[in-house]
Amino acid sequence: MRAEFAELPPVPFELRGDLEWLAKQPAHDQWTINGNATTRLLELLAQCRRARVPLPAAFTLFMATSALQDRVRSSTACFLDLAHAPVPLPHGGGHLVRFLADQQGCLYWYLRVTGDGADHAVVCSGEYYDVADEETADPDPFEIEFCAESFEAFLCRFWLENEIWFATARDTPMPDVGAEYIDLYREKPAE
Protein backbone atom coordinates (compact mmCIF):
# COMPACT_ATOMS: atom_id res chain seq x y z
CA MET A 1 0.00 0.00 0.00
CA ARG A 2 1.31 3.43 -0.87
CA ALA A 3 0.28 6.44 1.20
CA GLU A 4 1.11 10.09 0.77
CA PHE A 5 3.49 11.31 3.47
CA ALA A 6 0.96 13.83 4.83
CA GLU A 7 -1.52 10.98 5.41
CA LEU A 8 0.80 8.85 7.54
CA PRO A 9 0.07 8.53 11.26
CA PRO A 10 2.68 10.01 13.57
CA VAL A 11 5.35 7.67 14.86
CA PRO A 12 4.41 6.32 18.30
CA PHE A 13 7.71 7.00 20.09
CA GLU A 14 9.65 10.05 21.14
CA LEU A 15 12.56 10.27 18.74
CA ARG A 16 15.66 11.62 20.49
CA GLY A 17 18.44 10.26 18.29
CA ASP A 18 19.50 7.53 20.73
CA LEU A 19 17.24 4.77 19.31
CA GLU A 20 16.15 3.83 22.83
CA TRP A 21 12.69 2.87 21.52
CA LEU A 22 14.34 0.31 19.18
CA ALA A 23 16.74 -1.06 21.79
CA LYS A 24 13.69 -2.10 23.85
CA GLN A 25 12.30 -4.28 21.03
CA PRO A 26 13.03 -8.00 20.66
CA ALA A 27 15.87 -9.17 18.45
CA HIS A 28 15.18 -11.59 15.61
CA ASP A 29 17.25 -14.21 13.86
CA GLN A 30 15.29 -14.31 10.58
CA TRP A 31 14.28 -11.66 8.04
CA THR A 32 16.49 -8.98 9.62
CA ILE A 33 17.85 -6.22 7.42
CA ASN A 34 21.46 -6.93 8.41
CA GLY A 35 23.74 -6.33 5.47
CA ASN A 36 27.10 -4.68 4.97
CA ALA A 37 26.67 -1.72 7.34
CA THR A 38 28.98 -2.76 10.16
CA THR A 39 31.74 -3.72 7.70
CA ARG A 40 31.45 -0.66 5.44
CA LEU A 41 30.69 2.08 8.00
CA LEU A 42 34.32 3.10 8.67
CA GLU A 43 34.95 3.55 4.95
CA LEU A 44 31.78 5.62 4.57
CA LEU A 45 32.64 7.78 7.60
CA ALA A 46 36.11 8.48 6.19
CA GLN A 47 34.66 9.44 2.80
CA CYS A 48 32.04 11.64 4.48
CA ARG A 49 34.75 13.44 6.47
CA ARG A 50 36.69 14.09 3.24
CA ALA A 51 33.56 15.45 1.55
CA ARG A 52 32.49 17.37 4.69
CA VAL A 53 29.20 15.49 4.83
CA PRO A 54 28.14 15.00 8.46
CA LEU A 55 25.88 12.05 9.19
CA PRO A 56 23.10 12.15 11.80
CA ALA A 57 23.93 10.48 15.13
CA ALA A 58 21.00 8.04 14.95
CA PHE A 59 22.14 6.87 11.51
CA THR A 60 25.73 6.27 12.63
CA LEU A 61 24.59 4.53 15.83
CA PHE A 62 22.27 2.20 13.94
CA MET A 63 24.81 1.34 11.23
CA ALA A 64 27.50 0.61 13.86
CA THR A 65 25.32 -1.61 16.06
CA SER A 66 24.37 -5.04 14.78
CA ALA A 67 22.28 -5.62 17.93
CA LEU A 68 19.99 -2.77 16.80
CA GLN A 69 19.92 -4.07 13.23
CA ASP A 70 18.79 -7.47 14.60
CA ARG A 71 15.58 -5.79 15.80
CA VAL A 72 14.47 -4.63 12.35
CA ARG A 73 12.91 -7.13 9.94
CA SER A 74 11.70 -6.70 6.40
CA SER A 75 8.77 -8.60 4.95
CA THR A 76 10.20 -7.95 1.47
CA ALA A 77 13.80 -8.94 2.29
CA CYS A 78 15.23 -5.41 2.23
CA PHE A 79 18.79 -5.25 3.47
CA LEU A 80 21.35 -2.68 4.56
CA ASP A 81 23.47 -1.70 1.57
CA LEU A 82 25.69 1.08 2.83
CA ALA A 83 27.31 3.27 0.20
CA HIS A 84 31.07 3.59 -0.23
CA ALA A 85 30.83 7.38 -0.23
CA PRO A 86 28.29 10.21 -0.43
CA VAL A 87 27.07 11.15 -3.90
CA PRO A 88 26.84 14.93 -4.56
CA LEU A 89 23.47 16.19 -5.72
CA PRO A 90 23.86 18.31 -8.85
CA HIS A 91 20.65 20.26 -8.17
CA GLY A 92 19.65 21.74 -4.82
CA GLY A 93 22.90 20.97 -3.03
CA GLY A 94 23.63 18.29 -0.50
CA HIS A 95 24.54 14.64 -0.87
CA LEU A 96 22.88 11.23 -1.05
CA VAL A 97 24.07 8.34 1.11
CA ARG A 98 22.55 4.99 0.16
CA PHE A 99 21.76 2.74 3.10
CA LEU A 100 18.94 0.31 2.22
CA ALA A 101 18.03 -1.77 -0.82
CA ASP A 102 15.15 -4.01 -1.64
CA GLN A 103 16.02 -7.60 -2.50
CA GLN A 104 15.33 -7.30 -6.21
CA GLY A 105 16.99 -3.94 -6.78
CA CYS A 106 13.74 -2.10 -7.45
CA LEU A 107 14.10 0.57 -4.75
CA TYR A 108 16.97 2.12 -2.84
CA TRP A 109 16.73 4.39 0.20
CA TYR A 110 19.12 7.27 0.79
CA LEU A 111 19.88 9.90 3.36
CA ARG A 112 19.72 13.31 1.76
CA VAL A 113 22.15 15.33 3.83
CA THR A 114 22.62 19.08 3.65
CA GLY A 115 24.34 21.57 5.91
CA ASP A 116 25.51 20.30 9.25
CA GLY A 117 23.83 16.87 9.11
CA ALA A 118 20.99 17.93 11.38
CA ASP A 119 19.20 18.90 8.17
CA HIS A 120 18.56 15.56 6.56
CA ALA A 121 15.71 13.46 5.22
CA VAL A 122 15.18 9.99 3.81
CA VAL A 123 14.41 9.68 0.12
CA CYS A 124 14.09 6.73 -2.23
CA SER A 125 14.60 6.02 -5.87
CA GLY A 126 14.49 3.15 -8.29
CA GLU A 127 17.93 4.32 -9.39
CA TYR A 128 21.15 3.06 -7.81
CA TYR A 129 23.49 5.99 -7.14
CA ASP A 130 27.10 5.26 -6.25
CA VAL A 131 30.29 7.27 -6.77
CA ALA A 132 32.13 4.03 -7.53
CA ASP A 133 29.94 3.54 -10.62
CA GLU A 134 30.40 6.36 -13.15
CA GLU A 135 27.09 5.53 -14.84
CA THR A 136 25.13 6.08 -11.63
CA ALA A 137 27.10 8.91 -10.05
CA ASP A 138 24.79 11.69 -11.36
CA PRO A 139 21.42 11.59 -9.55
CA ASP A 140 18.33 12.68 -11.44
CA PRO A 141 16.24 14.80 -9.04
CA PHE A 142 13.04 13.74 -10.80
CA GLU A 143 13.71 10.10 -9.88
CA ILE A 144 13.93 10.80 -6.13
CA GLU A 145 10.94 10.72 -3.77
CA PHE A 146 10.65 12.02 -0.20
CA CYS A 147 10.01 9.31 2.42
CA ALA A 148 10.64 10.70 5.91
CA GLU A 149 11.72 13.84 7.70
CA SER A 150 14.60 12.06 9.44
CA PHE A 151 16.45 8.76 9.50
CA GLU A 152 15.03 7.88 12.92
CA ALA A 153 11.45 8.60 11.83
CA PHE A 154 11.97 6.45 8.72
CA LEU A 155 13.49 3.62 10.76
CA CYS A 156 10.66 3.73 13.31
CA ARG A 157 7.93 3.56 10.68
CA PHE A 158 9.82 0.90 8.67
CA TRP A 159 10.25 -1.21 11.81
CA LEU A 160 6.64 -0.79 12.94
CA GLU A 161 4.97 -1.42 9.60
CA ASN A 162 7.05 -4.54 9.02
CA GLU A 163 6.30 -5.84 12.52
CA ILE A 164 2.58 -5.31 11.88
CA TRP A 165 2.93 -7.31 8.68
CA PHE A 166 4.72 -10.16 10.48
CA ALA A 167 2.04 -10.13 13.21
CA THR A 168 -0.80 -10.40 10.72
CA ALA A 169 0.80 -12.67 8.10
CA ARG A 170 3.08 -14.84 10.24
CA ASP A 171 1.27 -14.71 13.58
CA THR A 172 4.18 -13.20 15.50
CA PRO A 173 3.44 -10.92 18.48
CA MET A 174 1.97 -7.54 17.59
CA PRO A 175 4.10 -4.63 18.89
CA ASP A 176 2.54 -2.82 21.84
CA VAL A 177 1.97 0.25 19.67
CA GLY A 178 0.79 -1.70 16.60
CA ALA A 179 -2.96 -1.64 17.21
CA GLU A 180 -2.90 2.08 17.98
CA TYR A 181 -0.96 2.79 14.79
CA ILE A 182 -3.45 0.75 12.72
CA ASP A 183 -6.35 2.63 14.33
CA LEU A 184 -4.75 5.93 13.34
CA TYR A 185 -4.70 4.74 9.71
CA ARG A 186 -8.37 3.76 9.97
CA GLU A 187 -9.30 7.19 11.30
CA LYS A 188 -8.14 8.88 8.11
CA PRO A 189 -11.19 10.13 6.19
CA ALA A 190 -11.81 8.51 2.82
CA GLU A 191 -11.38 10.79 -0.15
Side-chain angles (χ1 to χ4, degrees):
M1 178 176 113
R2 182 181 170 114
E4 293 298 320
F5 179 76
E7 298 172 359
L8 296 175
V11 295
F13 299 105
E14 182 181 353
L15 305 180
R16 298 185 305 252
D18 59 7
L19 303 178
E20 182 181 332
W21 60 269
L22 182 58
K24 294 178 181 178
Q25 308 309 320
H28 304 284
D29 55 6
Q30 294 182 329
W31 295 95
T32 63
I33 64 170
N34 297 62
N36 68 5
T38 53
T39 58
R40 192 171 286 166
L41 181 60
L42 290 178
E43 177 186 1
L44 175 63
L45 290 172
Q47 293 296 331
C48 285
R49 274 192 299 280
R50 281 188 201 102
R52 296 193 170 135
V53 177
L55 297 175
F59 178 85
T60 304
L61 173 63
F62 183 75
M63 297 304 164
T65 313
S66 59
L68 290 172
Q69 297 166 23
D70 289 342
R71 288 162 167 69
V72 182
R73 298 187 287 182
S74 171
S75 62
T76 57
C78 290
F79 61 97
L80 294 175
D81 180 33
L82 207 54
H84 295 276
V87 176
L89 282 166
H91 306 283
H95 291 79
L96 293 178
V97 177
R98 189 186 64 259
F99 67 91
L100 187 68
D102 92 325
Q103 180 187 35
Q104 297 180 354
C106 296
L107 278 179
Y108 303 92
W109 288 264
Y110 301 84
L111 276 183
R112 181 181 186 277
V113 184
T114 58
D116 64 0
D119 184 16
H120 73 279
V122 173
V123 297
C124 73
S125 176
E127 299 296 321
Y128 181 88
Y129 301 120
D130 194 320
V131 294
D133 182 351
E134 290 182 20
E135 292 180 22
T136 66
D138 191 17
D140 179 351
F142 299 106
E143 296 293 326
I144 299 171
E145 294 189 39
F146 178 83
C147 294
E149 67 277 21
S150 72
F151 173 74
E152 190 172 14
F154 171 83
L155 184 63
C156 184
R157 193 168 276 117
F158 185 90
W159 166 81
L160 181 55
E161 291 176 1
N162 276 283
E163 287 303 309
I164 290 170
W165 183 89
F166 279 102
T168 56
R170 298 289 167 93
D171 202 29
T172 63
M174 178 69 75
D176 293 342
V177 295
E180 175 187 348
Y181 190 76
I182 292 168
D183 288 343
L184 289 172
Y185 261 117
R186 289 181 179 144
E187 290 174 10
K188 293 286 181 186
E191 294 183 21

